[in-house]
Amino acid sequence: MAVRPSLSALDVMRDASVIPVIVLHDVAHAVPLAQALVAGGIRMLEITLRTPQALACMQAIAAEVPEAVVGAGTVRNADDAKAAARAGARFAVSPGYTPTVGQACRDEGLSLLPGVATGSEIMQAQEDGFHQLKFFPAMQAGGLAMLKAWAGPFTDAVFCPTGGVTAQNAPEFLQLPNVVCVGGSWLAPNDLIARGEWAQITELARQSVSLRA
Ligand code: 3PG
């Protein structure tokens, strides 16, 4: 097996201003979607474990779109982390944080962006060595104001706000010093995927490149 260079959570966050949160219901959509996003400049792809097809979709992208970096979203336990790594994922995103998920991702060689929404959760994740965090659900849990407040005590944490982030409000988040990138589902909308409108998805990806001022 080829040796893959290691990928840090910061590498995942810095690659582009947006990590697309992807929900796939049909394996046939996986490769063209990944190719469309890569063509628009987005390589880090979070495929959520929310459908029975998610693992097969990861496998297909890992095998057929070498420019893409497959990530697993909605990782909630050690079994999810193991299955994602076996399917070719190189990073994981979790909606919350437990030390079990943190350790499982380490064991599987997956970079993890753990989800946090409170100071206690940040402290727990940092205690376990995770300093690059997903702020989820960002808009519902306090949005910009919360991130500004966290910049005081948590000087060594950076965030990927996700949940309610859109092309319209992303620039405000990306201006904050403790935000490296944002996450969102708007780059891979269900209706465009269902209709196979790949060129439109490439265009959405291209537009996301200019979100960071
Ligand atoms: C996620 O699953 O991480 C978020 O639900 C994505 O949120 P959005 O659909 O509001 O972008």
Side-chain angles (χ1 to χ4, degrees), residues 14-195:
R14 281 186 175 151
D15 203 63
S17 48
V18 186
I19 298 175
V21 177
I22 298 166
V23 180
L24 281 165
H25 296 276
D26 185 342
V27 181
H29 292 151
V31 167
L33 173 69
Q35 288 169 334
L37 290 165
V38 165
I42 301 290
R43 304 187 308 150
M44 301 291 157
L45 311 182
E46 178 187 336
I47 315 293
T48 58
L49 291 171
R50 294 182 198 176
T51 65
Q53 297 79 16
L55 291 168
C57 291
M58 288 181 208
Q59 270 168 348
I61 297 169
E64 294 178 47
V65 192
E67 306 88 347
V69 178
V70 175
T74 323
V75 171
R76 292 174 302 167
N77 53 51
D79 286 346
D80 286 347
K82 276 187 206 133
R86 234 177 286 131
R90 297 185 58 200
F91 68 93
V93 185
S94 56
Y97 180 70
T98 68
T100 308
V101 162
Q103 190 55 49
C105 287
R106 285 213 168 96
D107 292 345
E108 297 298 328
L110 294 168
S111 303
L112 173 66
L113 290 180
V116 296
T118 68
S120 299
E121 291 161 9
I122 296 171
M123 287 163 66
Q124 174 71 72
Q126 291 199 310
E127 204 170 292
D128 293 349
F130 296 98
H131 301 280
Q132 292 83 34
L133 309 168
K134 160 172 160 159
F135 174 29
F136 177 77
M139 289 305 282
Q140 297 83 346
L144 293 169
M146 190 69 142
L147 286 159
K148 285 179 190 166
W150 281 342
F154 300 115
T155 48
D156 49 354
V158 289
F159 298 93
C160 171
T162 305
V165 180
T166 63
Q168 288 67 44
N169 64 18
E172 289 185 289
F173 282 100
L174 290 164
Q175 273 168 21
L176 298 179
N178 58 351
V179 169
V180 178
C181 66
V182 299
S185 58
W186 84 89
L187 290 190
N190 270 335
D191 56 336
L192 294 188
I193 294 174
R195 294 201 301 269

